[in-house]
Amino acid sequence: MGKVIAIDGPSGAGKSSVSKAIAEKLGFQFLDTGALYRAIALHLRRKELSDDALYDETSNAIKGITIAFSNDRVFLNGKDVSDAIRTTEAGHYASIFSAKKAVRDALLSIQRDAAVNHDVVAEGRDMGTVVFPDAWKKFYLDASEEGRAKRRYDQLQGKGVEITIEEALNDVRERDLRDSKRDIAPLKKADDAICIDSTFLSLDEVVEKILSCIDE
Ligand code: DC
């Protein structure tokens, strides 16, 4: 098992950019678990699985799917879905389907396998609590709701997605509530995670802070 740096936190706290930068600096692989949940949700939507489908039905619908990362792109069953999984709708359904045990069970081994032969920076909601409870280092990245909505707004605008700041605020609010209230693997700070508030920090400042904690 390689070294794992676990970075959890709510949506829009900057986890992806920070994790990617840290992975690059340390020569670790970047594991974007949100992309896994987004891709699986896209697959289930395409299969027209209902939100209230039971375990077996969900599990059967997932059986045999492949999700792969290559050159910053995400492939679902061999097809590039990098843009399709980044819409607000894809995030909404990722949040809904990620509450299902069959989905979490299917992704658990995929996530753990990613760290078997590599050092990884793994970002998500339950990295430090469930997937990698023995992670080498654990962080919880947080920010004010307004700060997170603004970050989400900027990200989506940058990708050409039409969104208002109110819609971005509703998106982070609604998803965080659902992600932290679900029964299985809810968004939660691990007891031994270092908490960092990124509201008034730039990307570089957050990265520096995390690197200096790792050095200590
Ligand atoms: O990080 P993200 O916005 O790409 O994640 C999309 C959704 O996937 C998020 O709202 C909840 C779910 N998710 C999860 O339940 N557990 C993870 N480790 C990562 C994401």
Side-chain angles (χ1 to χ4, degrees), residues 8 11 15-16 32-35 37-38 86 91 94-95 98 104 111 123-127 152 175 179 182 185:
D8 289 307
S11 50
K15 298 185 303 292
S16 292
D32 177 358
T33 64
Y37 283 97
R38 284 168 180 265
R86 292 300 165 198
S95 173
S98 65
R104 302 207 78 85
Q111 295 168 90
E123 68 105 331
R125 305 294 188 290
D126 58 342
M127 297 300 99
R152 180 65 80 212
R175 281 205 290 138
D179 296 345
R182 66 181 176 223

